[in-house]
Amino acid sequence: MTSKIKQQVIDIFLKFLGREEIQNELREQINQASCILPVIENTQSPYTPDTISELSHPSLRDDIVFITSRFRSGSTLLWNLFRQTQDCTSYYEPFNERQWFNPELRGNNVDNTHRGVADYSAEYNNLTGLSKLYNENWIRQQLLMTESSWNPNMKAYIESLIDAATGRPILQFNRIDFRLPWLKKHFPNAKIIHLYRHPRDQWCSFLTDKNIMNKNDVEHTYQDAFYLDVWCKDLSQHYPILSKINTPHPYQRFYYLWKLSYLHGVAHSNHNLSFEQLTEDPEKQIKELYDVLNISKNGISELCGVIQAPPKNQWQKYASNEWFEQHEEICENNLTLLLNGTPT
């Protein structure tokens, strides 16, 4: 057992204990037990059923594409590009609570900011069996997963989508940025595409009513529409700066989450792409992306027509550069302390 994994095990146990003497005793017991555990590559019991054994095996397909991105970052646009690409099956937000595979729950409404999209669910038709594997808690719990995290239903759910795809499976997620190590462990040959957007414009896209949630009042009037509070609550156990107690201002919590997500994406992805690059020079960016994925570039000119970019720099209507810089400087200094242990 590596020291890192050992410490994670210890911390999980200690989280639920309050008395110092119990904590110290348990820590010593775990340390002693860890020292005598054998180091072996194959941990499979000889009596394990084949079905369980299969769950532990990674998928070795090399044509899988995972898109990782935050909410309101242009991920729907990128998903729609692949949807229009020949020999691809492009799945929209597989973990979404609308459960696209369930005709009784998914509904027909489409976000009017998702230009050129008439529905999200066509690729999920005839996949009602996914309801046996799906868990809505995936949208709010265990948002950070390491290689050793355990979630066989999530793995089986993703594999079912991949198996059902015609041609190359494309899965566009807004909920895997902190789960990429786990995803890479189970799908080692898949390509991961990381899409990101300027945080100030993304923040403005988060706000459903900018008049109420204006720069002067947002700390008291912020209303969560895109899971900021949900994510910060779960991830604060790993990154305490995300806690409302430690960071009451919503833009600062948003910025922390944006930056941590960005760092995870850059660290674990095969190709990083900004929303601004994609919308400003679509032909070049799509060619580079399809080169990475070894997808034919025939028809790219037509794909460029799918892109309808929103106006840039909308943040300037919300607050001054100084307002944003003030909050971002605080965040960057604290992140430097958190990640490096030294201030800038």
Side-chain angles (χ1 to χ4, degrees):
M1 180 180 294
T2 66
S3 59
K4 181 179 179 181
I5 295 175
K6 183 199 304 183
Q7 188 59 49
Q8 289 174 345
V9 173
I10 293 172
D11 291 343
I12 290 171
F13 276 94
L14 297 187
K15 177 182 175 183
F16 299 100
L17 298 173
R19 294 176 56 189
E20 184 176 355
E21 61 270 24
I22 296 177
Q23 292 181 354
N24 291 336
E25 181 181 351
L26 180 59
R27 186 185 295 275
E28 182 63 27
Q29 290 176 0
I30 294 174
N31 279 324
Q32 290 176 357
S34 299
C35 292
I36 61 174
L37 286 175
V39 179
I40 57 176
E41 294 184 2
N42 182 14
T43 59
Q44 189 71 50
S45 167
Y47 303 104
T48 299
D50 290 340
T51 53
I52 296 178
S53 177
E54 289 173 2
L55 283 175
S56 65
H57 293 163
S59 172
L60 299 180
R61 284 184 61 165
D62 61 3
D63 61 340
I64 305 167
V65 178
F66 295 120
I67 298 171
T68 179
S69 187
R70 297 297 303 148
F71 303 101
R72 313 305 293 176
S73 63
S75 55
T76 300
L77 184 153
L78 188 54
W79 160 77
N80 198 27
L81 286 179
F82 282 108
R83 195 184 211 187
Q84 311 301 323
T85 300
Q86 188 176 4
D87 299 326
C88 290
T89 298
S90 189
Y91 293 107
Y92 183 77
E93 288 194 37
F95 292 165
N96 194 288
E97 63 268 41
R98 284 176 64 179
Q99 301 183 31
W100 311 116
F101 51 82
N102 189 335
E104 296 181 2
L105 292 178
R106 65 192 184 197
N108 297 315
N109 59 303
V110 174
D111 188 329
N112 60 14
T113 66
H114 293 163
R115 299 171 178 84
V117 176
D119 74 275
Y120 304 119
S121 59
E123 291 76 11
Y124 292 85
N125 289 337
N126 302 316
L127 295 180
T128 55
L130 290 173
S131 61
K132 297 177 182 178
L133 299 169
Y134 177 78
N135 186 340
E136 189 176 313
N137 285 331
W138 294 343
I139 72 172
R140 63 179 68 91
Q141 295 175 4
Q142 202 182 7
L143 296 173
L144 187 149
M145 297 172 68
T146 66
E147 287 187 359
S148 58
S149 295
W150 184 81
N151 202 322
N153 273 13
M154 184 182 289
K155 179 174 182 284
Y157 176 83
I158 293 173
E159 287 180 329
S160 296
L161 287 171
I162 291 169
D163 292 341
T166 300
R168 180 186 291 258
I170 314 289
L171 291 84
Q172 174 265 312
F173 288 94
N174 294 127
R175 295 177 168 96
I176 60 165
D177 40 1
F178 293 90
R179 291 164 165 160
L180 293 177
W182 176 87
L183 200 68
K184 292 180 70 173
K185 172 70 176 296
H186 293 290
F187 304 91
N189 296 327
K191 291 290 194 300
I192 298 176
I193 307 303
H194 170 220
L195 178 70
Y196 57 93
R197 184 183 185 183
H198 194 294
R200 296 181 184 181
D201 276 336
Q202 190 173 331
W203 163 254
C204 290
S205 187
F206 256 61
L207 303 176
T208 53
D209 191 331
K210 298 178 184 62
N211 291 324
I212 295 175
M213 293 177 275
N214 60 73
K215 66 180 178 64
N216 297 320
D217 300 325
V218 68
E219 188 171 353
H220 309 290
T221 59
Y222 177 77
Q223 298 173 11
D224 198 15
F226 292 100
Y227 312 94
L228 175 63
D229 290 343
V230 172
W231 277 65
C232 287
K233 179 181 179 181
D234 183 73
L235 291 172
S236 63
Q237 61 187 305
H238 308 286
Y239 299 111
I241 55 175
L242 294 175
S243 167
K244 276 188 176 182
I245 295 175
N246 296 324
T247 309
H249 199 285
Y251 180 69
Q252 290 183 16
R253 282 186 286 116
F254 167 87
Y255 189 85
Y256 283 137
L257 189 59
W258 176 88
K259 185 64 177 289
L260 290 167
S261 171
Y262 172 81
L263 294 174
H264 277 260
V266 168
H268 298 293
S269 298
N270 299 98
H271 185 69
N272 298 282
L273 173 65
S274 80
F275 177 65
E276 293 78 19
Q277 290 174 325
L278 181 60
T279 54
E280 290 172 9
D281 195 353
E283 185 167 357
K284 177 185 176 182
Q285 297 302 323
I286 296 172
K287 283 181 178 178
E288 291 181 358
L289 174 59
Y290 282 23
D291 277 339
V292 171
L293 302 177
N294 195 27
I295 293 178
S296 171
K297 294 185 285 294
N298 293 333
I300 283 185
S301 297
E302 289 77 8
L303 285 178
C304 292
V306 175
I307 296 177
Q308 301 179 49
K312 288 179 57 180
N313 299 325
Q314 291 298 292
W315 61 267
Q316 295 174 345
K317 299 178 180 179
Y318 181 79
S320 67
N321 182 63
E322 290 72 24
W323 185 91
F324 281 103
E325 279 189 344
Q326 179 184 13
H327 290 294
E328 291 163 4
E329 183 177 356
I330 293 171
C331 294
E332 288 292 344
N333 285 333
N334 287 333
L335 284 169
T336 300
L337 286 170
L338 173 69
L339 300 174
N340 299 326
T342 56
T344 56

